[in-house]
Amino acid sequence: MLDISDKIPYERKNVFFNFIEYEDYIWFWDVIYNALYCCKKGEKITQRITPKIDFSIFSLYSKVFLYHSKIICEPRMTDKVLIYDIEKKEIRYVCLEINDWKCSEWDEGIFWDGIVSGKYLYLIGLCSPYIIKFDMEAEKTERVIKPYQKTKNYEQMKYYYWKAEISNDILFVPSYRDNLIFLIDIDKMTYFEKYFVTLKKGGFSSLYVSGESIWLFSQFDKRIICWNYETNAIKYYAQYPEKYDLSICPEIGFIHEIDEKLFLFSLQNNKILILDKKNEKLLFEKKINSYYDELLNGRDFNGTAYSFVQRQNRYLYIFLNYSREVLIFSADNENIYSQSFYVPEVDYKDFIFYFFQKETFSIEKNNGLKYLLEFMLNRNNLN
């Protein structure tokens, strides 16, 4: 095994949308190397589990979910759910059997989010109009609904669902293109819509459910909405801290609550906000922002700062796109740790050789010349 040092190229770092823990291992789907990987806790070199697939800018799968000892991989560019049985070390594929996905923009993926409740995984359509109730125990599709079929945009192919949540047996699914959310009974899979007519048109980038309150974050309206779905009361929050750049809408993408504080991660702004629910104030988060500013060191990074933010107990796990590292933030002491995962040496060699053949990979730019030459010369020593 290679020594972990600066000798390992940046391109060997894993990139993923979420992760799960099972026993002593971390599991995730790498969206660049297009495979399921695992890594023993405390180590950095990962192990590829699924067979190698041709490298592509499009990943077949995205998020992973755990059901007993099975890992369920959410489809992104395929109509098959991938299931890996950890105990049996067995891979299975389950076709979702949709005749017409109605996808006009396949490159963005057929699903974006997935929500687990009991033995069911609810697959939330992105470029497809479907929400699918998938039985993880029986490994089959149980129900398929098309909420957008009732709305005016269905025939115009302008659907997109976004971040979803389940609370009190209701699946809350916001539209990314319309100012509405769907409230779906997860048992009967019946639903109704709630429209927000006072907002700028454009839909929601995310939502967060806390009791009877639904926190909604708009694509274009800079106000944060808190809607009580029992009383229908609505509050708006728009008092951002000074020096927060509002030249574009924050478009909050990830929300997690710890100690009555909402941590808000923008898709458009690198600065993380905290919404203190007790005094209803929007503030800058200090520790993670300081770490990210130091990481950038004045350099511009044009792109979404975070691939995902995941909460486990009192920790936030944040994937930083700029450095391809997972930042671990402790809410107890506000300490910050970082972790990077690296694909095996052989996977990286295959990666370079594939793109070298395709003539789309800049060897000098990606610091891969030495690795490519050693691969071609069948040398094993990569010191």
Side-chain angles (χ1 to χ4, degrees):
M1 183 177 292
L2 288 174
D3 179 40
I4 302 300
S5 68
D6 291 337
K7 297 174 185 177
I8 297 182
Y10 171 82
E11 287 76 20
R12 276 188 67 184
K13 287 187 178 182
N14 287 104
V15 179
F16 44 103
F17 287 158
N18 79 327
F19 68 91
I20 56 174
E21 293 186 24
Y22 182 73
E23 294 182 344
D24 291 330
Y25 285 84
I26 304 292
W27 300 77
F28 53 80
W29 183 272
D30 187 287
V31 297
I32 292 179
Y33 287 85
N34 225 349
L36 178 67
Y37 282 85
C38 73
C39 186
K40 191 174 180 64
K41 290 181 183 178
E43 297 182 359
K44 295 187 178 182
I45 300 294
T46 56
Q47 175 186 354
R48 179 166 48 82
I49 302 300
T50 52
K52 184 182 72 176
I53 303 170
D54 281 348
F55 302 107
S56 170
I57 58 172
F58 304 127
S59 179
L60 290 181
Y61 296 91
S62 55
K63 295 182 180 180
V64 294
F65 305 91
L66 183 66
Y67 181 71
H68 296 318
S69 62
K70 297 191 292 190
I71 294 175
I72 316 296
C73 298
E74 177 182 84
R76 183 166 183 256
M77 303 299 296
T78 175
D79 61 355
K80 297 178 178 65
V81 174
L82 188 154
I83 299 171
Y84 180 69
D85 192 313
I86 300 173
E87 301 297 332
K88 296 180 180 180
K89 296 183 179 179
E90 181 179 280
I91 300 170
R92 296 187 289 274
Y93 296 91
V94 180
C95 185
L96 294 173
E97 298 181 350
I98 301 292
N99 293 326
D100 182 5
W101 283 98
K102 299 187 182 298
C103 288
S104 58
E105 298 165 337
W106 265 92
D107 59 321
E108 297 191 33
I110 56 176
F111 296 111
W112 166 251
D113 206 3
I115 309 294
V116 171
S117 180
K119 68 174 185 174
Y120 294 106
L121 169 63
Y122 297 85
L123 296 168
I124 312 300
L126 178 58
C127 285
S128 70
Y130 302 104
I131 294 177
I132 295 177
K133 183 177 183 179
F134 184 79
D135 188 327
M136 295 184 290
E137 185 172 314
E139 299 181 7
K140 66 178 184 179
T141 299
E142 181 160 308
R143 290 287 302 276
V144 178
I145 61 173
K146 295 185 286 185
Y148 257 113
Q149 194 166 9
K150 289 184 178 179
T151 70
K152 60 185 178 182
N153 276 339
Y154 180 72
E155 294 300 328
Q156 300 173 29
M157 308 290 279
K158 289 185 177 179
Y159 25 75
Y160 267 18
Y161 308 114
W162 210 241
K163 179 74 175 76
E165 288 208 22
I166 290 177
S167 179
N168 297 324
D169 294 330
I170 299 174
L171 175 60
F172 297 89
V173 183
S175 167
Y176 191 61
R177 290 189 168 173
D178 298 288
N179 290 329
L180 69 92
I181 62 174
F182 296 100
L183 287 76
I184 302 167
D185 183 310
I186 61 173
D187 293 323
K188 300 176 183 177
M189 294 299 282
T190 55
Y191 57 90
F192 67 92
E193 306 92 18
K194 166 64 179 177
Y195 286 85
F196 294 83
V197 296
T198 60
L199 300 177
K200 291 183 179 179
K201 292 182 179 180
F204 300 107
S205 57
S206 194
L207 93 171
Y208 173 73
V209 182
S210 177
E212 297 175 354
S213 296
I214 312 296
W215 297 82
L216 290 158
F217 302 88
S218 175
Q219 268 204 91
F220 299 110
D221 196 305
K222 296 171 185 177
R223 295 174 295 174
I224 297 171
I225 304 105
C226 182
W227 171 55
N228 186 306
Y229 69 90
E230 292 288 347
T231 65
N232 208 32
I234 297 178
K235 286 185 179 180
Y236 297 95
Y237 298 84
Q239 298 300 316
Y240 290 88
E242 290 185 24
K243 299 183 179 180
Y244 188 78
D245 183 7
L246 284 171
S247 59
I248 55 176
C249 188
E251 196 174 345
I252 304 298
F254 305 100
I255 309 100
H256 292 281
E257 181 176 1
I258 302 177
D259 298 333
E260 294 290 303
K261 295 178 181 178
L262 300 184
F263 288 76
L264 310 178
F265 293 78
S266 171
L267 299 176
Q268 302 289 345
N269 192 311
N270 290 337
K271 295 296 184 184
I272 302 163
L273 295 172
I274 288 179
L275 198 159
D276 191 325
K277 290 169 64 178
K278 291 180 180 178
N279 57 29
E280 300 186 341
K281 286 187 177 180
L282 277 166
L283 309 167
F284 278 121
E285 188 284 327
K286 296 179 180 178
K287 285 294 184 78
I288 308 173
N289 281 332
S290 177
Y291 183 95
Y292 196 74
D293 288 343
E294 186 176 339
L295 178 68
L296 290 179
N297 193 25
R299 293 182 289 267
D300 289 330
F301 178 60
N302 296 321
T304 303
Y306 317 102
S307 283
F308 70 81
V309 183
Q310 187 169 324
R311 179 189 169 185
Q312 292 192 199
N313 300 318
R314 294 181 58 78
Y315 291 90
L316 293 180
Y317 294 82
I318 307 153
F319 191 96
L320 305 179
N321 284 329
Y322 179 79
S323 60
R324 290 191 184 177
E325 64 182 334
V326 178
L327 202 63
I328 305 165
F329 172 79
S330 169
D332 289 326
N333 53 28
E334 294 191 335
N335 283 343
I336 288 177
Y337 316 87
S338 67
Q339 167 86 65
S340 292
F341 297 96
Y342 297 83
V343 297
E345 172 189 326
V346 64
D347 288 7
Y348 179 62
K349 288 177 178 179
D350 287 348
F351 177 78
I352 290 178
F353 191 67
Y354 176 84
F355 281 98
F356 179 74
Q357 288 180 316
K358 294 290 186 181
E359 298 182 348
T360 59
F361 189 75
S362 171
I363 296 171
E364 290 79 12
K365 180 180 178 181
N366 291 278
N367 301 315
L369 180 59
K370 184 172 183 292
Y371 280 79
L372 176 64
L373 291 175
E374 299 211 33
F375 173 56
M376 296 176 70
L377 294 172
N378 293 316
R379 294 175 58 184
N380 296 319
N381 183 10
L382 294 178
N383 292 329

